[in-house]
Amino acid sequence: MEKIRQKLLAFISSPKDGILLSGIAIGVYMLLYYYSKNFGLASSWEQLGVFIAYYFVVPTVVLLLGYRLFTLPTLLGYRKHYLFIAVPLIVVLFLLQLIIAGPRRKSFFLGLAIVLLFAGAKKFARYHKLFIVLLFVMAACSLPTFFGNIYNYATASDAWRKLPDDLEQVQFKTKPNIYYIQPDGYASPANLKDANYNFDNKNFEQFLSVEGFTVYPDFRSNYNSTLLSNTSAFSMRHHYARQDIEDFWARRIIVGDNPVLHILKNNGYTTHFVTEKPYLIMNRPKLGYDTCNFTYNELPYLKDAMGLERDVFKSLKEVKPTVGPQFYFIEKMTPSHVSVFSKRGKASEKEWYLERLQKTNIWLMQVVSYIEKKDPDALIIIGADHGGFVGFDHTLQSMTLTKDPLLVKSIFGSMMAIKWGNEKAREYDGKLHTSVNLFRIIFAYLSQDKKYLNHTEANDSYVLTHSPGGLYKYINDKGEVVLQKQ
């Protein structure tokens, strides 16, 4: 230890200012920090190249140019002051780009950092290389998580995705255009009537009835998040909330490599992804859809792209269908769910949710009416990804083991209504209780082959809880709240 201490002291007190090493230290720390926190959002090679340029090249160039400016005779004596201030300030600016905070709070932290650094530079400028050491030490702290992510990514198994039968070779007897409209967090009709929601949705339900939809009042999701639920639905398999799914693979599966898209394309469908926000494509996965209303050139590299928004109805109208059957996955980000973080309380969250739900009803009626006028023989699915979480103060509360049956159902109970266009569908939808079996049942109906109903997944619903930690089956195949640790 004494030798290490002596080497560090010799490095800090040496006459070389270490400009290039400062830039490398900033880059190493920021790259490891970012990937240890956001690996799932930045798993493309393109993003890695941008981050290397941004976190290594930019600070190095800034430091070199500034340092050259301080070689002027009048500024020569302040070079170490410049480095004492510039190196940590660059890191602060990078970190402020990543944290979730309002402009005022960010301005406060930036101002505080500037004041402290200028004050410290007067007395401690000669120790500026201490920041280099500190950055490498902090980078080392991120190494276990970083390499853990790399290992989990490289060794993740996809055996769970293998279908138990020949469904991927299914041939449809009828090929209607299919519209899968997913209003985020839209609660099931049964949930909307319970004590948590206590909402009369009869106007919208009457609309669905008049338009020929079959409504599934107790339908629910199998998982508690958009990524986990959609991964299961488009894979037609349970993944049991494996950590690598949400961390790495969810988006690649949902919008890229999944059996639903394979089957549709094998049956001549052109596929379209129309979304309000680019939430499902933020890590730039290889797109399995033929068209998308966002391009990757529009997506920011550092932020989560949730600030970008499209008018979904307008985007749907702008899709130019090709010859042959069409599949549309239309993602609407409302009514959403109660806030992830909130201090408003249950009552305010409920009021806020129900206001958005009523606006979503109007939007859904407009979109459905448009589709039916344009495409009267279409198969239309209105299926939410999970429940609205009304009854919780915020959604993070649901990560603590929840024993209240109404709260459990608020997590999973989700809208499902389908306009089949044929009464024969009732021969196929007897097991349509959760989203994992949605597409299997639809494909069995379109192929008019009931053998595919022999391999439906269990209609269980799961949460990977934080307190106590572990995977819990919240609802079993019979729809009973069971709270069984797996």
Side-chain angles (χ1 to χ4, degrees):
M1 287 297 293
E2 180 60 26
K3 287 184 178 180
I4 295 175
R5 189 179 75 86
Q6 291 296 332
K7 287 184 178 180
L8 286 176
L9 290 174
F11 168 71
I12 292 168
S13 58
S14 67
K16 293 183 178 180
D17 285 325
I19 311 298
L20 184 60
L21 192 58
S22 295
I24 293 172
I26 293 171
V28 169
Y29 169 67
M30 286 307 307
L31 197 69
L32 290 176
Y33 174 84
Y34 189 92
Y35 274 94
S36 66
K37 304 287 185 184
N38 304 284
F39 190 91
L41 295 178
S43 53
S44 71
W45 290 108
E46 180 184 355
Q47 287 167 294
L48 176 61
V50 170
F51 292 149
I52 289 173
Y54 189 58
Y55 286 137
F56 282 86
V57 178
V58 171
T60 301
V61 170
V62 169
L63 290 173
L64 283 170
L65 291 176
Y67 191 76
R68 291 200 63 173
L69 179 64
F70 277 83
T71 58
L72 296 173
T74 54
L75 299 175
L76 192 60
Y78 295 97
R79 285 181 300 176
K80 296 185 186 301
H81 296 75
Y82 163 70
L83 294 173
F84 185 93
I85 294 168
V87 172
L89 190 59
I90 289 171
V91 175
V92 169
L93 288 170
F94 280 153
L95 292 175
L96 286 175
Q97 288 182 314
L98 301 179
I99 65 172
I100 300 173
R104 286 188 178 182
R105 183 168 293 185
K106 288 186 178 183
S107 298
F108 170 78
F109 284 122
L110 178 58
L112 180 63
I114 291 172
V115 170
L116 292 175
L117 289 171
F118 269 89
K122 292 181 180 180
K123 190 174 182 180
F124 303 109
R126 64 184 182 277
Y127 301 120
H128 68 89
K129 283 190 285 186
L130 190 60
F131 286 119
I132 298 176
V133 177
L134 183 61
L135 286 170
F136 279 121
V137 170
M138 292 193 300
C141 292
S142 296
L143 282 175
T145 304
F146 175 76
F147 283 117
N149 286 337
I150 296 293
Y151 176 81
N152 291 336
Y153 179 78
T155 60
S157 170
D158 63 354
W160 66 271
R161 297 176 61 191
K162 183 175 175 58
L163 295 176
D165 58 3
D166 64 348
L167 182 60
E168 282 208 58
Q169 283 72 53
V170 65
Q171 292 298 310
F172 298 167
K173 298 289 180 61
T174 59
K175 298 181 181 181
N177 292 336
I178 303 171
Y179 296 80
Y180 179 27
I181 307 169
Q182 186 174 94
D184 185 271
Y186 197 119
S188 69
N191 276 20
L192 290 175
K193 291 179 174 68
D194 72 24
N196 277 332
Y197 292 81
N198 192 26
F199 180 72
D200 184 358
N201 202 28
K202 66 180 180 182
N203 288 340
F204 183 62
E205 291 178 12
Q206 286 174 355
F207 168 81
L208 293 175
S209 178
V210 169
E211 299 303 320
F213 281 80
T214 300
V215 178
Y216 300 85
D218 292 301
F219 192 86
R220 55 189 158 85
S221 65
N222 302 97
Y223 299 93
N224 62 323
S225 77
T226 299
L227 294 180
L228 292 177
S229 180
N230 275 316
T231 301
S232 179
F234 280 95
S235 299
M236 298 180 284
R237 296 283 283 169
H238 272 295
H239 49 64
Y240 304 105
R242 292 162 48 113
Q243 193 65 46
D244 61 290
I245 299 299
E246 200 155 29
D247 286 349
F248 315 128
W249 299 110
R251 291 177 172 87
R252 293 188 179 197
I253 292 171
I254 296 165
V255 300
D257 181 19
N258 66 67
V260 170
L261 289 180
H262 298 166
I263 290 166
L264 289 167
K265 291 192 175 186
N266 287 343
N267 281 274
Y269 277 77
T270 302
T271 56
H272 311 278
F273 179 41
V274 182
T275 181
E276 189 167 29
K277 293 176 180 288
Y279 176 67
L280 294 178
I281 59 172
M282 289 194 295
N283 63 333
R284 294 170 169 78
K286 183 178 180 180
L287 206 61
Y289 286 84
D290 294 301
T291 72
C292 177
N293 62 327
F294 281 92
T295 66
Y296 287 174
N297 291 335
E298 300 173 79
L299 305 184
Y301 285 96
L302 294 176
K303 298 182 180 180
D304 62 10
M306 291 301 282
L308 298 178
E309 189 170 319
R310 287 280 191 277
D311 182 330
V312 186
F313 194 10
K314 181 180 178 183
S315 292
L316 176 61
K317 292 177 180 178
E318 291 173 349
V319 173
K320 296 178 180 178
T322 56
V323 175
Q326 311 291 308
F327 173 77
Y328 302 83
F329 177 27
I330 304 166
E331 188 187 34
K332 175 70 171 171
M333 302 303 288
T334 61
S336 189
H337 45 67
V338 302
S339 303
V340 178
F341 310 97
S342 177
K343 296 180 180 178
R344 286 185 293 220
K346 297 178 180 65
S348 294
E349 287 292 338
K350 171 184 173 179
E351 182 181 358
W352 187 51
Y353 174 85
L354 293 177
E355 285 177 2
R356 297 195 309 274
L357 185 136
Q358 292 175 78
K359 292 178 181 178
T360 304
N361 283 346
I362 295 170
W363 181 87
L364 283 168
M365 288 189 283
Q366 291 174 337
V367 171
V368 168
S369 297
Y370 166 77
I371 293 171
E372 289 182 328
K373 183 177 179 180
K374 168 193 169 188
D375 202 347
D377 298 321
L379 193 161
I380 306 173
I381 307 160
I382 301 175
D385 50 350
H386 49 68
F389 293 76
V390 168
F392 291 97
D393 290 314
H394 49 80
T395 60
L396 289 181
Q397 283 184 330
S398 69
M399 304 307 289
T400 298
L401 187 64
T402 304
K403 297 182 179 180
D404 183 335
L406 288 183
L407 288 179
V408 169
K409 291 178 180 179
S410 187
I411 296 172
F412 301 105
S414 46
M415 168 61 76
M416 177 56 65
I418 302 178
K419 183 174 182 179
W420 296 96
N422 192 320
E423 284 299 317
K424 283 190 175 182
R426 302 318 303 257
E427 300 175 15
Y428 294 84
D429 70 350
K431 294 183 179 180
L432 184 53
H433 304 299
T434 63
S435 50
V436 69
N437 291 315
L438 171 64
F439 285 107
R440 174 176 283 276
I441 288 169
I442 286 172
F443 295 159
Y445 162 70
L446 294 177
S447 65
Q448 298 175 23
D449 195 336
K450 293 180 182 178
K451 76 174 184 179
Y452 294 116
L453 301 178
N454 296 331
H455 294 281
T456 54
E457 295 280 280
N459 288 300
D460 301 325
S461 296
Y462 298 90
V463 173
L464 186 64
T465 59
H466 294 166
S467 178
L471 179 67
Y472 281 83
K473 182 191 292 185
Y474 269 32
I475 304 176
N476 66 14
D477 190 55
K478 298 178 182 178
E480 302 165 334
V481 177
V482 292
L483 303 178
Q484 296 173 345
K485 187 167 185 179
Q486 303 302 292

